[in-house]
Amino acid sequence: MLHVTDTIAALATPAGTSAIAVVRASGPDTGRLAVEIFGLPPSPRKACHADYRDIDGRLVDDVLFTFFQGPHSYTGEDSLEISSHGNPFIAQKILADLLTRGCRSAQPGEFTQRAFLNGQMDLSQAEAVMDLIHARSDRALAAANQQLRGALGKTMDALTHRLLEVLARVEAYIDFPEEDLPPEDTNWLDVELQSIAKDTQRLLATNRYGDMLREGIRTVILGAPNAGKSSLLNQLVGRDRALVGEEPGTTRDFIEEKILIGPHCLRLIDTAGLNPSPVPLEKRGIEKTLEQAEAADVFLLVLDATQPIGELPREFASRITLDRTILVLNKIDLVGTEPPPAPFPARYTVHTSALNGSGLDRLREAIGSLADSCQPEIGGERVSINARHAEALSRAQNYLTEARGKITGHDPVELLASDLRGALGALGEIRGKIDNERVLDRLFASFCIGK
Ligand code: GDP
């Protein structure tokens, strides 16, 4: 267990007026503080109603407090949670009093950092706490909960275990350097390393979906000027967010809005129309549109169904992926009973009227299905890694490639073992076997104070 001598305190709820405010403290002094402030030895995990009097005996508020005895607490050490009336002035007075009584102001994320250092959770679970706080869709919430319950940790353990077996086999030969690995072992090692590398790669590929969960699925609305892109964005957002005009070229910059479609959070981006003969300001808008298209997860390609549909402009056709495109044939209210056929083989084709809202439910369904298909599954566990995990996995992957090269090149087994240890080290970082304290401090500094 981590050896901590100080007791930290912080406001755990936002600093505004609310029904309840919570101040929490954690560390070896918490039990003594509870007795000092409330006058009775606290029973662990029981909410008690009491007066909060400051160090000079002045009544601050009547509060509910709960004492948690380590290791049965969030941080793994003795902790205290004090719920007062939700007035930031009261909460600040309680916090100031705790500091006067010897606590230290907690750094951002310090409670979770202590939980990690005390072995209450691994680093991927600590990161999941952060994801849980920021989750804005059902999918993001489910993924954060799974990671908090150790889904990524379990996947990493399985991978690490297999790599350790490989290393054990290799190390058995280190004492006999003059002997070559027997061919049956060489085969087994190569096959096993290839399979581990494949699983590592599959895990790496979940990074993109992880970004989508954390940032929202980048859904870029593209099309010719006046096709109804802004009207469609307004319909999906449910209010007039973008300017709608009869003149082409009303959207010259791009507009971004976050919306929920079923369990998914989308970053909906309306772009400047792709006018084949633009005025200078429009040109800049089109450049930005192409940049947005480059980074899109899903494309909504809006075409005016009343106009003849020609070829897609070349610079733009090369940037969209039809498999991730929903073709939206808009202004269907102006077309007779026979809707025009799809001019391109996109993943989905939907007929809409952004004016009267018809076809919008079908469009939402198509977006939902496309978003669903972005979610990868790894051996029954739905795992979606973040940038830190991706960096460690890529490093592990490089070591594995090196190791496989050494098997085929019949290099000395010590060198092979060293690559395998490198890969193990990189994989270990995901659960938190990190020696570098500064890396940890930086990671927890991105949390909020009181968490
Ligand atoms: P954008 O340039 O692609 O963003 O197109 P806008 O959303 O600004 O729409 C251009 C014009 O088409 C506006 O006058 C809209 O009211 C009109 N419009 C957009 N969608 C529809 C539709 O589905 N049906 C009809 N009849 N008009 C539409």
Side-chain angles (χ1 to χ4, degrees):
M1 189 176 183
L2 162 81
H3 185 69
V4 198
T5 51
D6 58 355
T7 298
I8 51 171
L11 188 62
T13 43
T17 304
S18 53
I20 295 167
V22 177
V23 176
R24 78 205 306 208
S26 179
D29 275 348
T30 335
R32 171 188 65 78
L33 283 171
V35 177
E36 209 177 282
I37 301 166
F38 303 113
L40 33 134
S43 339
R45 290 166 170 260
K46 247 200 202 131
C48 306
H49 188 201
D51 281 346
Y52 193 107
R53 287 183 185 277
D54 68 14
I55 198 160
D56 298 321
R58 280 182 302 238
L59 178 65
V60 180
D61 193 7
D62 66 314
V63 299
L64 270 186
F65 74 91
T66 315
F67 175 71
F68 299 88
Q69 192 157 33
H72 307 292
S73 69
Y74 179 70
T75 55
E77 41 187 43
D78 287 354
S79 338
L80 186 63
E81 283 184 12
I82 302 165
S83 309
S84 69
H85 288 96
N87 172 352
F89 179 69
I90 296 176
Q92 282 302 336
K93 270 191 109 54
I94 292 176
L95 180 59
D97 184 60
L98 289 174
L99 300 184
T100 312
R101 291 174 191 268
C103 292
R104 166 172 70 73
S105 247
Q107 299 292 321
E110 201 171 356
F111 290 90
T112 310
Q113 186 167 17
R114 286 189 174 192
F116 163 68
L117 293 171
N118 286 325
Q120 300 291 102
M121 55 176 75
D122 70 25
L123 205 51
S124 73
Q125 288 170 309
E127 288 168 312
V129 170
M130 181 85 146
D131 288 342
L132 200 60
I133 292 173
H134 293 287
R136 293 292 178 267
S137 69
D138 284 342
R139 282 295 147 79
L141 186 60
N145 269 320
Q146 283 227 16
Q147 193 168 315
L148 189 58
R149 273 142 213 259
L152 180 56
K154 256 192 265 162
T155 309
M156 294 317 302
D157 276 356
L159 214 53
T160 305
H161 183 76
R162 288 170 62 197
L163 201 51
L164 274 170
E165 278 190 3
V166 173
L167 180 62
R169 281 251 196 144
V170 171
E171 282 185 332
Y173 288 97
I174 287 185
D175 294 335
F176 311 99
E178 65 285 354
E179 279 180 39
D180 236 8
L181 285 171
E184 65 275 16
D185 270 10
T186 312
N187 282 346
W188 179 83
L189 287 175
D190 194 40
V191 169
E192 188 60 5
L193 279 185
Q194 191 178 359
S195 154
I196 293 171
K198 209 165 121 204
D199 287 352
T200 308
Q201 191 52 46
R202 279 174 57 204
L203 209 48
L204 251 174
T206 67
N207 186 206
R208 186 175 172 109
Y209 188 67
D211 286 349
M212 291 186 211
L213 286 176
R214 290 174 190 100
E215 312 292 332
I217 300 173
R218 289 178 70 92
T219 307
V220 177
I221 307 179
L222 298 161
N226 245 358
K229 299 181 295 304
S230 302
S231 308
L232 207 64
L233 174 111
N234 289 343
Q235 281 279 5
L236 289 170
V237 172
R239 68 192 160 87
D240 283 350
R241 172 65 178 85
L243 274 182
V244 170
E246 281 177 23
E247 275 181 33
T250 37
T251 310
R252 288 188 168 149
D253 206 343
F254 61 89
I255 291 175
E256 183 173 327
E257 276 287 306
K258 276 200 174 158
I259 59 161
L260 279 178
I261 291 207
H264 307 284
C265 175
L266 262 67
R267 285 171 71 182
L268 201 56
I269 298 159
D270 183 21
T271 60
L274 295 154
N275 190 350
S277 43
V279 296
L281 188 59
E282 251 187 312
K283 240 186 203 154
R284 284 224 298 277
I286 292 174
E287 277 163 22
K288 285 192 179 176
T289 299
L290 295 175
E291 276 169 28
Q292 289 298 327
E294 209 76 68
D297 299 313
V298 169
F299 301 91
L300 297 188
L301 178 53
V302 185
L303 301 178
D304 184 337
T306 65
Q307 303 293 317
I309 297 161
E311 291 280 300
L312 288 175
R314 210 158 23 94
E315 75 269 38
F316 148 70
S318 63
R319 281 175 169 91
I320 70 166
T321 313
L322 286 173
D323 194 42
R324 287 190 273 127
T325 298
I326 299 170
L327 194 56
V328 185
L329 294 172
N330 190 39
K331 305 199 185 181
I332 212 70
D333 54 297
L334 298 178
V335 182
T337 46
E338 201 52 42
F344 314 103
R347 180 79 168 265
Y348 297 98
T349 300
V350 191
H351 296 88
T352 61
S353 166
L355 200 65
N356 67 21
S358 72
L360 261 292
D361 283 345
R362 179 72 199 94
L363 176 60
R364 287 192 189 91
E365 258 173 49
I367 296 174
S369 306
L370 204 51
D372 270 335
S373 67
C374 299
Q375 182 166 23
E377 195 158 337
I378 303 272
E381 300 281 7
R382 294 219 152 160
V383 170
S384 34
I385 60 165
N386 67 22
R388 186 185 71 82
H389 308 147
E391 193 277 324
L393 284 171
S394 310
R395 247 183 306 123
Q397 194 71 305
N398 289 343
Y399 279 118
L400 292 175
T401 311
E402 288 284 319
R404 291 188 61 208
K406 287 188 179 121
I407 294 178
T408 9
H410 301 285
D411 285 15
V413 277
E414 287 91 346
L415 298 182
L416 176 57
S418 153
D419 283 337
L420 296 177
R421 278 189 221 105
L424 276 167
L427 293 183
E429 287 178 20
I430 292 174
R431 291 202 70 179
K433 292 193 186 86
I434 296 177
D435 300 332
N436 190 335
E437 251 177 56
R438 252 183 304 159
V439 172
L440 284 179
D441 285 347
R442 214 173 327 121
L443 194 141
F444 284 105
S446 59
F447 279 53
C448 23
I449 291 189
K451 191 69 224 177

